[in-house]
């Protein structure tokens, strides 16, 4: 590889960094996503060939890196303190008075400060996960959670996947070489709803709020999954630096912004107490219009000199405070507590409430999450409770609020058996949820079938819960494939199904046979395999057969399929019952292939690996062409590889091909194969 090559690739990296800032920080992209992906792919391809020349700040290092062990501990340079809370303007005035008192202590008469002399910065208090980012000589070297404030967890690999965190910042002309910044990682409302929808369709428990979803995403052991969550960050302060070139908090934020860090545009400098006070009031309603969740404001004294003079208690600084608007809470009564069985058998307790109006909608159910949560809050049937609903969040029971002397029922006990099939339920060690392990449990069967038929899966119209209940309870349908054996006479006579609707249902079922592999994979309810994964798998394997025969390694080789999903797929296909089910689906003429994007099947089943630089087309173009002729392209050479195409500077893949006796093609030979 020549020095020019290296220079060329560094130029591309630099270009991507610039576009990252334009897109993720300044919200002003200059190129389309597709153009962006093209540049990035060039870098990825080049780096695959030259694994020794991948600097830690390459844009490609945001995805797919692996955290090999549980997170390690990181001691913070300065403690990550939390904030004291205030809930109304009286309490906020108390805070301001403490600030004045602290600053005026031991000062001469003429230096006494009053209301008009203290500037405050007002910021949004983003509801996410606090993190600390360390930059050394401009390079992002470490990211950690807050942890207990003194020691956090090293989540560098996961933080690298967040596009608005620059992997390097231009510090060369600054007076400091070491910079720690603090910020809040969060998910906006849209992303939160989408993740929950996906989790639901994958049979996983939904997150209770955006904060949990963000924290859960960041602390995943597989950064490839984190990379798919649209996490974002707002940087809200300096944590530590070896030289501090500014005198106020507001200036520090401007500096961080100028360095390319994503600060919140709603940060406002107020000249005095009165202005601050007005600004706080103005956010009470306005905060509901933000696209992300905030749990109030943070008000910080502006002068850094004052920060020093005021100092901190063991837990919070004396120069900052949180201002919280309480979420709307109402009082109602718990009429019953029931348990629901999900598609994967998890059992969730739900409180049935006397209906009440809260935050504009009538609420008659609230999740109680799990057994531990019920015990912790000691919630019982008949209790008067305070419930709360904020933003997009599922209504929740905040606390019991019985009047004194009210007689109570016994504490709630989880049932010993599944409320649907009466199989004994169990709680796996280390998990909070109880589970029904009976795969034939009618509740699970119904949930699975409903998911199978849902709009984004096989899209079977007219197969609602009322009809399914009767078909499952009557023993007519247990497996997906049973749906395809239904005849009109099985349906007529069902309650709430007119003959015309019965015929429509039969037609919809028939039509769904050709839904294709992408939808079918999603519909099967394989853990961790949702819509998107279905599409990726179908694009790469084209048929259920190929997928069934794919090894863990074959699966993992596909970009975006991490080890967790690969394992889940293998576990699914290894089960005899699932193999049988696929066989039955085939017998019923359900399409198990993707209505091929391939224009021909001339290269059907042929597996290619591309290595080295091609002169007449890009890797992408070559790949597209091979796919369109029915072939497959993988990234590493194995005995299953049919051809290795070696361009200039082919690297170790060519050697491996030789060793394994895999046919090696030159670019010209590839061309004639494609043009044949
Ligand atoms: S300042 C010592 N500013 O709220 C200063 N915190 O209880 C402490 N947070 O753990 C933090 N938005 O994760 C600050 N604009 C903001 C914030 C913010 C959210 C979080 C942060 C911290 C918690 C404080």
């Amino acid at each position: 590889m020549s020095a020019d090559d290296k220079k060329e690739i560094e130029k591309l990296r630099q270009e991507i960094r610039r576009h990252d800032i334009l897109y993720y920080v300044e919200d002003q992209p200059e190129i389309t996503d597709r153009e962006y992906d093209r540049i990035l792919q060039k870098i990825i391809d080049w780096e695959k060939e030259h694994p020794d020349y991948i600097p830690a700040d390459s844009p490609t290092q945001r995805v797919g890196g692996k955290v090999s062990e549980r997170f390690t501990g990181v001691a913070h340079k300065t403690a990550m303190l939390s904030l004291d809370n205030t809930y109304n303007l009286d309490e906020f005035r108390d805070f301001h008075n403490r600030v004045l008192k602290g600053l005026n202590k031991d000062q001469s008469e003429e230096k006494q400060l009053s209301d008009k002399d203290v500037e405050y910065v007002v910021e949004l208090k983003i509801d996410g996960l606090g993190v600390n980012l360390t930059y050394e000589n401009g390079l992002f070297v470490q990211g950690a959670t807050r942890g207990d404030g003194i020691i956090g967890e090293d989540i560098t690999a996961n933080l690298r996947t967040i596009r608005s965190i620059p992997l390097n910042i231009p510090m060369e002309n600054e007076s400091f070489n070491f910079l720690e910044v603090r910020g809040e990682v969060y998910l906006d409302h849209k992303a939160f709803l989408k993740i929950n929808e996906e989790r639901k369709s994958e049979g996983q428990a939904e997150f209770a709020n955006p904060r949990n979803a963000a924290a859960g995403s960041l602390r995943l052991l597989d950064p490839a999954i984190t990379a798919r969550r649209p996490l974002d960050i707002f940087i809200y302060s300096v944590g530590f630096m070896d030289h501090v070139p500014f005198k106020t908090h507001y200036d520090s934020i401007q500096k961080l912004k100028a360095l390319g860090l994503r600060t919140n545009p709603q940060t406002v400098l107020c000249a005095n107490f009165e202005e601050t006070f007005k600004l706080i009031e103005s956010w009470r309603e306005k905060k509901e219009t933000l696209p992300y969740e905030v749990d109030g404001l943070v008000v910080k004294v502006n002068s850094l000199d004052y920060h020093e003079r005021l100092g901190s208690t063991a837990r919070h600084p004396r120069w900052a405070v949180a201002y919280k608007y309480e979420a709307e809470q109402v009082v109602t009564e718990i009429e019953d507590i029931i348990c629901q069985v999900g598609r994967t058998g998890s059992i969730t307790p739900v409180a049935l409430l006397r209906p009440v109006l809260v935050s504009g909608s009538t609420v008659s159910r609230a999740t109680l999450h799990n057994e531990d949560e019920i015990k912790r809050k000691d919630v019982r049937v008949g209790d008067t409770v305070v419930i709360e609903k904020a933003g997009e969040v599922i209504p929740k029971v905040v606390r019991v609020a019985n009047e004194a002397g009210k007689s109570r029922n016994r504490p709630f006990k989880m049932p010993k058996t599944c409320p649907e099939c009466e199989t004994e339920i169990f709680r796996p060690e280390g998990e909070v949820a109880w589970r029904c392990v009976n795969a034939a449990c009618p509740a699970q069967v119904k949930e699975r079938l409903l998911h199978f038929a849902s709009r984004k899966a096989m899209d079977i119209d007219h197969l609602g819960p009322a009809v399914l209940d009767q078909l499952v309870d009557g023993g007519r349908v247990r497996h997906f494939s049973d749906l395809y054996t239904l005849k009109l006479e099985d349906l007529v006579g069902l309650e709430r199904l007119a003959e015309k609707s019965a015929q429509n249902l039969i037609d919809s079922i028939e039509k769904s046979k050709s839904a294709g592999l992408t939808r079918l994979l999603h519909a099967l309810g394989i853990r961790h395999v949702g819509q998107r994964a279905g599409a990726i798998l179908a694009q790469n394997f084209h048929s259920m057969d190929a997928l069934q025969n794919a090894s863990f390694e074959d699966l993992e080789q596909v970009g975006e399929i991490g080890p967790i999903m690969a394992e889940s797929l293998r576990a699914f296909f290894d089960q005899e019952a699932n193999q049988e089910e696929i066989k039955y689906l085939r017998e019923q003429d359900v399409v198990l292939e993707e209505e091929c994007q391939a224009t021909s099947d001339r290269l059907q089943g042929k597996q290619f690996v591309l290595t080295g630089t091609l002169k007449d087309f890009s890797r992408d173009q070559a790949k597209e062409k091979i796919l369109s002729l029915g072939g497959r392209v993988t990234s590493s050479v194995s005995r299953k590889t049919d051809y290795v195409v070696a361009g200039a500077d082919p690297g170790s893949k060519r050697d491996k091909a030789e060793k394994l006796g895999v046919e090696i093609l030159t670019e010209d030979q590839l061309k004639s194969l494609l043009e044949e």
Side-chain angles (χ1 to χ4, degrees), residues 83-95:
L83 292 167
D84 206 0
N85 293 323
T86 56
Y87 291 95
N88 52 51
L89 290 171
D90 283 343
E91 287 181 19
F92 180 66
R93 175 163 269 289
D94 291 344
F95 160 78

Side-chain angles (χ1 to χ4, degrees), residues 80-83 123-131 146 183-184 236-237 295 298 300 317 319-320:
M80 285 183 80
L81 301 175
S82 58
L83 292 167
E123 298 170 6
L124 298 178
K125 187 166 190 295
I126 312 292
D127 201 10
L129 192 77
V131 296
R146 177 173 177 275
E184 197 81 355
Y236 55 68
S237 77
D295 64 342
V298 182
K300 299 171 182 171
W319 44 265

Side-chain angles (χ1 to χ4, degrees), residues 484 510 513-514 584-592:
Y484 296 101
E510 183 62 28
K513 286 182 181 174
S514 49
Y584 290 136
L585 288 170
R586 177 174 288 122
E587 283 170 13
Q588 300 299 332
D589 296 325
V590 174
V591 173
L592 303 182

